[in-house]
């Protein structure tokens, strides 16, 4: 049994077979860097991180490309409003994006191509579409002629019979009511201010959709394995990408299209326009580390809606502490008598972990496998029924799971050395039988959320989340 993934194109779970054995070429639509991303956006990047990490766990070599949209209707509007250059405006949000993905322990892609660095590639692609009559010009704008591409609608499974031939839409984002020829290139107009390129297509700027076709081809080839995004990307963005790429290159663009469901708040998609969003920064200011947000976003299957609540985030903190405590506890095992039950538990948990994730990244039973493992090994430790040798293997297994889950990145505290000093003072006080001082140090630390634990290996401390 191998890995199965749900393909939006066929609406079926399919056995995953890469184009080149052992290798996966993966493209994921990245952020529009016009504002801080909200955690709904991060749900998409989290799911993609899980997918990529699991592919690696399964032994594939993954090449991952994520674009950065640094020119589109939204970025231009915002930079003009603030009267600063587009590059200056987007730089700030680009930096914030990378800080946020680090806080969420999301693995970096191999390449983050920015749209503004790939205007030439987009121009070439549009020229090709013009030559093949898939594109036409109207007063400086260039549109894709969808009536010439019979496969249009195959991803979103749309009924194309209502299509009004020749109707056009110029904005980057539009909904199903507006299926029509879409803009590949937008001739300059006053609203664009100083954002334009002088090219063979005239003075103007690219539409949003063309960037992903041009940049994915450049870094992954015209035909690659997996393309991801949120369900709102299916139409029009991904439908348009397929039309552009397949019309230009006469070959299949992507084999597997994967889409995550939305993060919702009280029944509605979390989004900037509804105003019902949290950025990661909002939550971190409230005292939730990025890793707790990671846990929350990770632990619901990517094709199910995830309802965001503060209670969910609280629960995530508790679950993380359980995992972290476990890792420390196994590390401290000193027993010498091997227990075959430990080896059995390792095999059982690995099997359930892989079988679950092989089933279209079915995360809930995979997490259950991890927590059952934690419970069962904890029992062996409490019974003193596990050797250091067993514990080493438990750690290898657990760290293998975590290479997929990425939950062991504990928030750094800048007070580490101060705490170590206080522990030293407390130990000195205890040696001198000055228990009042020793207890006071312990209580003061507890008030700051630092819990001390005296173990045979010395005094350990942890910060309560
Ligand atoms: P955008 O910057 O709007 O293009 O969105 C970036 C990514 O986030 C896309 O893949 C969207 O589909 C995804 N996305 C936006 N809102 C949500 C949400 N509430 N839940 C999950 N994914 C979302
Ligand atoms: Zn895209």
């Amino acid at each position: 049994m191998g890995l199965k993934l749900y393909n939006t194109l066929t609406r079926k779970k399919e056995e995953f077979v890469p184009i080149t054995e052992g290798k996966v070429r993966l493209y994921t639509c990245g952020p529009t860097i016009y504002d801080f991303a909200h955690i709904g956006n991060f749900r998409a990047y989290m799911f993609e991180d899980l997918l990529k990490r699991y592919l690696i766990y399964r032994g594939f070599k993954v090449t991952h490309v994520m674009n950065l949209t640094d020119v589109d209707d939204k970025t231009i509007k915002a930079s003009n409003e603030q009267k600063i250059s587009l590059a200056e405006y987007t730089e700030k949000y680009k930096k914030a994006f990378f800080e946020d993905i680090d806080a969420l322990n999301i693995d970096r892609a191999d390449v983050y191509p920015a749209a503004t660095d790939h205007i030439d590639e987009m121009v070439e692609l549009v020229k090709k579409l013009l030559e093949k009559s898939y594109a036409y010009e109207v007063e400086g704008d260039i549109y894709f002629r969808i009536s010439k591409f019979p496969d249009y609608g195959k991803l979103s499974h749309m009924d194309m019979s209502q299509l009004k031939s020749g109707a056009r839409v110029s904005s980057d984002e539009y909904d199903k009511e507006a299926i029509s020829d879409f803009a590949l290139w937008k001739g300059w107009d006053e609203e664009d201010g100083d954002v334009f390129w002088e090219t063979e297509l005239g003075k103007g700027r690219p539409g949003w959709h063309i960037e992903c076709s041009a940049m994915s081809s450049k870094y992954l080839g015209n035909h690659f394995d997996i393309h991801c995004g949120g369900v709102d990307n299916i139409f029009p963005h991904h439908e348009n990408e397929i039309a552009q790429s397949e019309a230009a290159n006469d070959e299949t663009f992507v084999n597997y299209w994967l889409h995550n469901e939305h993060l919702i708040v009280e029944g509605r998609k979390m989004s900037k326009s509804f105003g019902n969003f949290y950025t990661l920064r909002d939550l971190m200011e409230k005292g939730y580390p990025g890793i707790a947000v990671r846990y929350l976003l990770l632990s619901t299957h990517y094709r199910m809606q995830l309802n965001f609540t503060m209670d969910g985030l609280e629960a995530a903190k508790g679950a993380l502490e359980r995992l972290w405590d476990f890792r420390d506890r196994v590390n401290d095992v000193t027993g010498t008598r091997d227990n075959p039950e430990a080896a059995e538990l390792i095999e059982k948990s690995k099997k359930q972990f892989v079988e679950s994730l092989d089933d279209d990244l079915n995360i809930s039973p995979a997490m259950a496998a991890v927590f059952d493992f934690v419970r069962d090994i904890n029992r062996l430790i409490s019974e003193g029924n596990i050797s250091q040798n067993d514990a080493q293997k438990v750690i290898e297994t657990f760290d293998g799971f975590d290479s997929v889950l990425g939950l062991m990145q504990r928030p750094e505290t800048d007070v580490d050395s101060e705490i170590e000093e206080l522990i030293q003072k407390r130990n000195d006080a205890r040696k001198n039988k000055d228990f009042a001082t020793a207890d006071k140090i312990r209580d003061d630390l507890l008030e700051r959320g630092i819990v001390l634990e005296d173990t045979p290996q010395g005094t350990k401390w942890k910060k309560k989340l």
Side-chain angles (χ1 to χ4, degrees):
M1 287 292 282
L3 170 61
K4 285 198 169 145
L5 297 171
Y6 181 88
N7 191 348
T8 307
L9 203 54
T10 56
R11 292 186 172 174
K12 282 194 195 87
K13 278 187 208 170
E14 293 176 12
E15 179 95 33
F16 175 69
V17 184
I19 297 167
T20 310
E21 204 185 325
K23 297 206 169 124
V24 181
R25 281 173 287 156
L26 169 68
Y27 187 91
T28 59
C29 287
T32 304
I33 38 181
Y34 77 110
D35 203 345
F36 298 111
H38 60 67
I39 58 164
N41 301 127
F42 285 117
R43 181 172 196 208
Y45 311 138
M46 260 313 308
F47 137 65
E48 291 152 1
D49 191 52
L50 172 67
L51 169 68
K52 174 179 159 181
R53 284 166 174 263
Y54 188 59
L55 287 165
I56 293 169
Y57 182 87
R58 285 300 250 123
F60 293 102
K61 188 175 174 316
V62 180
T63 308
H64 176 203
V65 178
M66 175 180 270
N67 65 304
L68 301 174
T69 301
D70 60 352
V71 55
D72 78 324
D73 297 349
K74 287 188 282 202
T75 41
I76 292 175
K77 186 163 175 275
S79 67
N80 283 339
E81 273 168 12
Q82 293 199 6
K83 298 195 171 35
I84 54 175
S85 74
L86 183 66
E88 200 184 331
Y89 179 81
T90 54
E91 188 55 37
K92 173 177 166 193
Y93 296 108
K94 181 169 149 184
K95 192 166 159 276
F97 171 72
F98 285 111
E99 285 167 8
D100 287 354
I101 60 170
D102 286 350
L104 289 167
N105 199 20
I106 290 178
D107 265 359
R108 297 271 175 123
D110 297 280
V111 198
Y112 287 100
T116 54
D117 293 332
H118 295 79
I119 303 295
D120 289 349
E121 286 83 349
M122 296 184 225
V123 169
E124 281 312 306
L125 185 55
V126 175
K127 272 169 58 188
K128 215 164 165 187
L129 292 168
L130 283 166
E131 276 157 27
K132 295 171 101 173
S133 302
Y134 282 107
Y136 60 94
E137 197 213 303
V138 185
E139 294 168 3
D141 295 335
I142 300 174
Y143 289 91
F144 187 93
R145 194 191 312 275
I146 64 176
S147 59
K148 192 171 156 57
F149 186 74
D151 274 352
Y152 196 87
K154 71 176 171 183
L155 181 70
S156 44
H157 305 268
M158 273 183 324
D159 172 14
M160 299 298 292
S161 62
Q162 306 302 318
L163 178 67
K164 279 198 253 80
S165 181
R168 287 187 292 274
V169 56
S170 63
S171 54
D172 285 331
E173 291 177 60
Y174 53 92
D175 57 28
K176 287 192 176 156
E177 276 66 63
I179 310 173
S180 43
D181 292 354
F182 59 91
L184 299 166
W185 182 261
K186 305 186 189 198
W188 182 83
D189 67 27
E190 267 167 27
E191 281 184 6
D192 290 345
D194 62 359
V195 180
F196 61 83
W197 286 263
E198 295 276 9
T199 73
E200 288 175 64
L201 304 175
K203 175 178 173 176
R205 58 161 174 120
W208 170 38
H209 314 291
I210 197 75
E211 73 175 79
C212 288
S213 283
M215 299 197 288
S216 60
S217 284
K218 173 162 179 177
Y219 295 99
L220 298 172
N222 292 342
H223 177 204
F224 57 93
D225 299 291
I226 307 179
H227 194 314
C228 304
V231 284
D232 56 317
N233 282 160
I234 298 173
F235 182 86
H237 186 50
H238 291 164
E239 198 69 73
N240 292 353
E241 282 187 41
I242 293 175
Q244 296 161 154
S245 295
E246 296 194 349
N249 303 323
D250 294 315
E251 61 178 309
T252 302
F253 177 39
V254 170
N255 285 358
Y256 301 87
W257 287 91
L258 272 57
H259 294 98
N260 62 279
E261 254 304 338
H262 283 141
L263 181 71
I264 58 169
V265 187
E266 285 158 11
R268 255 186 142 181
K269 174 189 171 192
M270 180 176 283
S271 88
K272 286 268 151 63
S273 47
F274 297 145
N276 61 350
F277 64 92
Y278 286 105
T279 64
L280 183 61
R281 280 135 209 273
D282 295 334
L283 296 174
M284 287 173 82
E285 267 167 31
K286 286 180 193 290
Y288 296 98
I291 203 75
V293 179
R294 178 181 178 92
Y295 187 97
L296 182 79
L297 296 178
L298 182 76
S299 48
T300 296
H301 188 260
Y302 77 95
R303 284 195 296 114
M304 278 167 40
Q305 286 194 338
L306 164 55
N307 193 19
F308 176 80
T309 62
M310 286 293 174
D311 286 349
L313 206 47
E314 267 313 313
K317 289 205 302 192
L320 279 173
E321 282 186 332
R322 194 164 159 70
L323 296 177
W324 296 346
D325 287 351
F326 172 73
R327 182 71 172 67
D328 289 342
R329 204 165 172 223
V330 181
N331 222 19
D332 291 344
V333 166
T334 52
T336 50
R337 201 152 40 88
D338 293 348
N339 181 353
E341 197 187 342
E344 280 162 28
L345 290 170
I346 287 172
E347 279 324 300
K348 188 178 120 194
S349 61
K350 271 190 189 165
K351 186 162 174 284
Q352 191 183 332
F353 186 77
V354 169
E355 277 176 4
S356 307
L357 292 176
D358 266 359
D359 179 17
D360 191 33
L361 305 177
N362 197 0
I363 191 73
S364 302
M367 296 290 269
V370 174
F371 280 101
D372 287 351
F373 185 55
V374 166
R375 185 199 56 214
D376 293 339
I377 297 292
N378 264 332
R379 176 176 50 80
L380 297 190
I381 296 175
S382 299
E383 292 167 1
N385 214 348
I386 181 169
S387 69
Q388 200 171 11
N389 190 25
D390 294 329
Q392 198 46 47
K393 289 180 190 143
V394 167
I395 286 176
E396 275 164 30
T397 305
F398 188 77
D399 288 353
F401 295 156
D402 194 61
S403 71
V404 179
L405 305 174
L407 296 172
M408 297 307 288
Q409 176 177 278
R410 306 183 200 198
E412 280 172 26
T413 50
D414 45 8
V415 291
D416 290 19
S417 56
E418 187 207 339
I419 292 168
E420 296 296 345
E421 254 172 51
L422 285 169
I423 289 175
Q424 191 53 49
K425 267 196 193 151
R426 175 169 168 266
N427 286 342
D428 293 345
R430 290 206 300 176
K431 262 190 219 132
N432 298 332
K433 304 226 177 320
D434 177 4
F435 295 113
T437 303
D439 287 349
K440 181 159 185 341
I441 292 173
R442 160 180 274 202
D443 293 346
D444 287 351
L445 283 171
L446 192 61
E447 225 158 76
R448 292 165 54 184
I450 312 286
V451 186
L452 301 188
E453 196 188 344
D454 296 312
T455 75
Q457 288 78 34
T459 306
K460 304 234 155 127
W461 67 272
K462 67 176 184 183
K463 192 164 168 53
K464 282 205 79 58
L465 269 180

